Amino acid sequence: LPTFGILMLLLAGSICTYSALGFLIFNPDSSEATQFFNTYGSSIWNMLMVLNGSNWPVPMIPAFDYNRSYCLYFYIYIVILGWGLLNLILGFVYGFFQEEQVLINKRAEAIWKQ
């Protein structure tokens, strides 16, 4: 389980880093910053919403209207964390599940042999 813990820390650190980056990148006077990145906590919350796909274009639209290159911030975030790191975590969870399933099958065979 230490590998899974390291992956979860990496995920949390990546979300916090991207939230801090968004908090610093977006102009504090823009509608993007006042709506979605006004505090560090709200920026973490909005980046979690972007990561899980729940209404993810909503934080991006004001930034996109202000400067079209800001959409790269969100696309890189989705590619690295959403498609990369979350799939890696899912692979480890599936591997742990398979190991546990093998142990359950061995215990069931031992019970049936008695």
Side-chain angles (χ1 to χ4, degrees):
L1 208 57
T3 306
F4 185 71
I6 291 171
L7 285 173
M8 293 308 290
L9 285 175
L10 181 64
L11 178 66
S14 299
I15 292 171
C16 289
T17 301
Y18 255 91
S19 298
L21 188 63
F23 192 67
L24 295 173
I25 285 177
F26 298 115
N27 183 5
D29 299 327
S30 69
S31 63
E32 173 70 19
T34 57
Q35 284 181 316
F36 302 106
F37 292 95
N38 56 353
T39 64
Y40 187 62
S42 68
S43 65
I44 288 176
W45 178 256
N46 284 305
M47 293 314 287
L48 281 170
M49 292 299 108
V50 170
L51 182 63
N52 72 13
S54 135
N55 210 9
W56 76 267
V58 172
M60 187 184 76
I61 297 299
F64 184 74
D65 289 340
Y66 183 73
N67 186 350
R68 293 187 187 269
S69 64
Y70 283 159
C71 69
L72 290 175
Y73 168 81
F74 292 99
Y75 288 144
I76 291 171
Y77 177 78
I78 290 169
V79 167
I80 291 174
L81 267 69
W83 293 342
L85 195 56
L86 284 183
N87 283 330
L88 189 62
I89 291 171
L90 180 63
F92 274 97
V93 168
Y94 183 70
F96 295 143
F97 175 76
Q98 282 184 328
E99 290 173 6
E100 193 65 30
Q101 202 63 27
V102 167
L103 291 174
I104 290 172
N105 289 339
K106 285 182 182 178
R107 289 180 192 150
E109 286 177 14
I111 290 173
W112 282 104
K113 287 182 181 180
Q114 293 178 356

